[in-house]
Amino acid sequence: MVIMVGCILRGTHSVDQAKSYLANNRGLTCYSHCKESIDTIFEYLGIKNLEGFSKCSTQKMDGLMDIVKNIIPNFTIDQFLHTFHLLFVKKLTFPV
């Protein structure tokens, strides 16, 4: 989900492509795409780290969740934040 939100924000994928990716993905995505998505989401929200989520604009977070809800309507903000955290930790574990 996080990777696809980053791709949508960058303009490289559509919501339909994101849905297809999530339906068919076997959990493999290269490091650079993970990093790009994390960086893009941080930039969109105007934050620099995980702690910034608690301080980011409600309007920006609502915009991010609008994208998420277009992909999976019942995905919650808590699920997104948890998924983002897991991807972020994974990125730190496997640096290039």
Side-chain angles (χ1 to χ4, degrees):
M1 174 61 78
V2 173
I3 294 166
M4 286 294 99
V5 169
C7 290
I8 290 169
L9 287 172
R10 280 193 312 279
T12 60
H13 290 72
S14 68
V15 169
D16 288 336
Q17 289 171 314
K19 288 177 183 178
S20 176
Y21 173 85
L22 291 174
N24 298 309
N25 185 26
R26 292 195 167 98
L28 301 174
T29 302
C30 70
Y31 172 86
S32 64
H33 283 107
C34 293
K35 182 178 179 339
E36 283 178 17
S37 288
I38 289 169
D39 291 346
T40 300
I41 292 168
F42 277 163
E43 183 180 328
Y44 173 81
L45 294 174
I47 61 177
K48 296 187 186 304
N49 53 42
L50 288 176
E51 293 78 25
F53 275 110
S54 64
K55 299 173 186 164
C56 73
S57 154
T58 302
Q59 184 179 14
K60 287 288 189 175
M61 187 57 85
D62 288 346
L64 193 70
M65 288 310 295
D66 286 344
I67 295 169
V68 170
K69 297 283 186 184
N70 281 323
I71 301 169
I72 300 177
N74 61 345
F75 211 78
T76 68
I77 192 165
D78 289 335
Q79 288 173 307
F80 182 82
L81 293 175
H82 177 71
T83 305
F84 188 96
H85 177 76
L86 291 175
L87 184 63
F88 186 82
V89 169
K90 185 176 184 178
K91 177 188 82 86
L92 293 177
T93 306
F94 300 105
V96 175

